[in-house]
Amino acid sequence: MSARGVDLGRSRSLFVFERARSWSENDCKAVTARAQGLPVTLRSQGLVVTMARLAANEDKDTASRILKGMLLAWLTVENPYLGFKGRANTTREFLELLMTADRAAYLAVQREALALAERIKLISKAFFSGKEQDNG
């Protein structure tokens, strides 16, 4: 693995960790439950459909709001290597960008979304386990 890959992996983990620290216990529980299926959803439905579904549910589902926000922030603002950085400020702009991207760019951003989803799944589960033990 290259140093760049290690740096990106660490950046991904730090990004998730910093956000997870601020979650309430209820948010942590909701995100942990929803995040367990996020990688499968991304693989089976693709990034456009996944983002659209998260956006459609964000008003009534805290986990959808948090997960959509994390994906959007990582893929358009925080990730230093993607060509989408700074090119979309809203979910709608991001979806339009994805739908007009060439295949290689779309697959690259979808792979990165999947890698982030795996980190969210792992770190949220660790945080939720820790919060359960704190209350037990």
Side-chain angles (χ1 to χ4, degrees):
M1 182 181 271
S2 70
R4 179 177 167 170
V6 170
D7 291 344
L8 183 56
R10 287 181 184 161
S11 296
R12 222 182 273 125
S13 293
L14 183 59
F15 174 83
V16 174
F17 179 79
E18 288 175 345
R19 278 145 185 84
R21 287 192 320 195
S22 68
W23 296 340
S24 70
E25 186 175 344
N26 287 339
D27 288 351
C28 189
K29 183 177 181 179
V31 170
T32 300
R34 185 74 188 268
Q36 300 312 299
L38 188 58
V40 172
T41 303
L42 282 164
R43 283 186 195 102
S44 65
Q45 297 180 4
L47 182 56
V48 170
V49 172
T50 301
M51 287 295 291
R53 286 188 178 198
L54 290 171
N57 292 325
E58 72 180 320
D59 289 339
K60 58 188 172 211
D61 178 17
T62 301
S64 291
R65 179 182 47 77
I66 290 171
L67 292 170
K68 184 212 73 158
M70 289 177 73
L71 285 165
L72 186 63
W74 178 252
L75 298 172
T76 64
V77 178
E78 300 288 336
N79 185 306
Y81 302 113
L82 286 177
F84 286 18
K85 186 172 183 170
R87 294 180 53 200
N89 295 315
T90 66
T91 303
R92 182 183 178 132
E93 288 175 356
F94 183 57
L95 290 173
E96 289 172 359
L97 187 61
L98 289 173
M99 290 186 281
T100 59
D102 63 52
R103 182 167 172 76
Y106 179 83
L107 290 175
V109 76
Q110 183 165 291
R111 268 192 312 275
E112 187 55 35
L114 181 57
L116 183 69
E118 292 289 353
R119 292 296 161 104
I120 294 169
K121 178 180 167 181
L122 179 68
I123 292 172
S124 68
K125 195 170 187 175
F127 264 78
F128 182 61
S129 295
K131 287 184 186 249
E132 279 187 322
Q133 290 175 0
D134 290 345
N135 292 331

